[in-house]
Amino acid sequence: MADNKRPESMVRITTPELAQAFIDEQIAALRAQIGERKVLLALSGGVDSSVVAALLIKAVGKQLVCVHVNHGLLRKGEPEQVVEVFRNQMDANLVYVDAVDRFLDKLAGVAEPEAKRKVIGAEFIRVFEEEARKQDGIEFLAQGTIYPDIIESGPVKAHHNVGGLPEDLQFELVEPVKFLFKDEVRVVGKALGLPDNMVFRQPFPGPGLGVRCLGAITRDRLEALRESDAILREEFDNAGLTGKVWQFFTVVPDFRSTGVKNNLRAYDWPVIIRAVNTVDAMTATVPELPWSVLEKITQRILSEVDGVCRVLYDLSPKPVATIEWE
Ligand code: XMP
């Protein structure tokens, strides 16, 4: 485990200059490790994998093959942004896999939260493995492991799900940010020119919207969730709350309640707003949001999102409630 301990001589990366020195050093190290060979990376669009992708693009260009799996549980606009930033702007070798139907078919009728997580994780490995087999001559697997992943959960980043690749697909690992803390990854990401909404993104669980569309996922409720979440994020941006509130999202439960639409009785879903502040996600408090912002979000969700007739704000701190609903 000696090579999994952050060197004591390593300074904390807090400025663009320190980030640039780290980037230069890593580019040289990556070129020395990889040479002319090929590297595979599961690129989710999260901060860590995006920073690793940007570093590798600078170091070895098209020898990096990025695989972006759209499992249908990403937030609105995320898959498009991955394609725009990495393929169009950075000219990366990016394989975009539309696996939406595959994931949603596998998840149909699966209601238990841990079972849903398992289905999503297992299907991710399967899709990624299929893509890996289509590529010739890959020798390395890059991962966005960061230092807290090593300290907290051993060397393999759990939500990248690559621990489960079969024997004949064992690659040498490339983990250029494994000694960095999250705030340092963000400083490096900024210095690499990644967009702010990618670099300063709030935490997003590996199973994505899958654990926010409660119970057995259906396509219509998933769409209501994605649209309401997009409205929430837009209105948090407009109110200057993004970056001030640690994590915020919507949740759509698997029950309906009554409403009135166009003078007719409706039987539609509620949308729950969840917003929390925390340091380490072990405990969390609920911020006092301006009433006008809550009203605006409510009014927009009720008028713009199909199948919704009620909006609620979850006031429960952690503990007793967890941050996610599942
Ligand atoms: P809870 O709900 O346990 O969440 O209070 C604490 C933090 O962890 C995130 N979370 C997950 N992240 N895979 C992940 O990668 C998961 O299955 C998962 N479940 C919860 C959650 O978003 C919060 O930031």
Side-chain angles (χ1 to χ4, degrees):
M1 288 300 271
D3 62 345
N4 268 342
K5 190 156 175 2
R6 180 172 165 129
E8 273 166 26
S9 58
M10 205 172 143
V11 287
R12 274 189 72 79
I13 302 169
T14 50
T15 65
E17 294 72 30
L18 290 168
Q20 195 52 54
F22 173 84
I23 292 165
D24 294 342
E25 202 178 279
Q26 283 306 317
I27 289 175
L30 288 167
R31 286 185 181 148
Q33 183 185 6
I34 297 162
E36 303 294 312
R37 294 172 287 172
K38 282 167 79 179
V39 192
L40 192 67
L41 169 73
L43 175 59
S44 67
V47 192
D48 308 334
S49 65
S50 296
V51 167
V52 169
L55 272 173
L56 278 158
I57 291 163
K58 281 207 189 310
V60 298
K62 296 262 163 94
Q63 287 161 250
L64 171 71
V65 181
C66 302
V67 176
H68 177 67
V69 178
N70 180 2
H71 49 33
L73 305 168
L74 297 168
R75 285 173 291 200
K76 188 171 178 177
E78 283 184 336
E80 293 81 1
Q81 188 182 29
V82 169
V83 173
E84 172 56 28
V85 170
F86 291 98
R87 183 184 286 161
N88 301 349
Q89 294 174 19
M90 295 194 176
D91 196 27
N93 201 345
L94 173 74
V95 180
Y96 170 83
V97 187
D98 179 350
V100 176
D101 288 337
R102 259 180 90 154
F103 275 82
L104 296 186
D105 288 351
K106 275 264 155 49
L107 283 163
V110 183
E112 204 276 313
E114 291 316 308
K116 284 161 71 174
R117 281 184 170 81
K118 282 204 183 97
V119 168
I120 296 164
E123 195 58 17
F124 185 90
I125 293 172
R126 221 166 285 134
V127 173
F128 188 67
E129 184 198 331
E130 282 173 24
E131 291 308 316
R133 289 191 192 285
K134 288 183 197 161
Q135 302 292 326
D136 278 337
I138 301 275
E139 291 189 38
F140 297 91
L141 182 70
Q143 284 194 169
T145 313
I146 65 172
Y147 205 43
D149 299 324
I150 294 177
I151 301 168
E152 287 157 23
S153 58
V156 173
K157 186 154 190 158
H159 77 252
H160 280 196
N161 297 314
V162 284
L165 283 180
E167 277 287 297
D168 64 323
L169 276 182
Q170 289 305 310
F171 308 107
E172 189 179 324
L173 287 183
V174 175
E175 297 177 303
V177 297
K178 74 173 180 178
F179 292 135
L180 301 193
F181 288 97
K182 198 78 178 192
D183 56 316
E184 299 178 292
V185 179
R186 295 194 208 274
V187 181
V188 171
K190 186 102 183 103
L192 285 163
L194 291 171
D196 275 7
N197 67 350
M198 213 169 228
V199 171
F200 298 104
R201 221 167 80 146
Q202 57 171 309
F204 187 58
L209 299 181
V211 289
R212 297 174 181 170
C213 185
L214 305 186
I217 297 167
T218 57
R219 289 172 194 249
D220 44 9
R221 276 192 308 116
L222 184 59
E223 263 336 281
L225 174 62
R226 205 186 323 269
E227 290 302 320
S228 59
D229 178 72
I231 291 170
L232 181 80
R233 285 190 288 141
E234 207 178 304
E235 292 305 327
F236 265 52
D237 269 351
N238 291 341
L241 290 167
T242 307
K244 291 196 182 132
V245 177
W246 195 79
Q247 198 175 16
F248 47 92
F249 51 87
T250 59
V251 173
V252 176
D254 54 348
F255 57 81
R256 294 174 192 261
S257 83
T258 49
V260 186
K261 282 185 181 169
N262 305 319
N263 293 323
L264 290 174
R265 200 174 166 84
Y267 197 46
D268 284 334
W269 305 298
V271 164
I272 300 152
I273 298 170
R274 185 76 170 131
V276 293
N277 279 324
T278 176
V279 175
D280 56 8
M282 300 300 284
T283 62
T285 56
V286 178
E288 188 176 326
L289 296 180
W291 192 254
S292 57
V293 175
L294 286 170
E295 263 185 329
K296 180 85 190 287
I297 293 166
T298 303
Q299 167 254 318
R300 281 197 60 196
I301 290 175
L302 291 179
S303 62
E304 295 174 35
V305 184
D306 283 345
V308 175
C309 68
R310 209 175 278 272
V311 177
L312 300 93
Y313 184 30
D314 179 355
L315 296 181
S316 324
K318 177 181 180 177
V320 173
T322 50
I323 296 173
E324 301 289 345
W325 269 56
E326 287 190 333

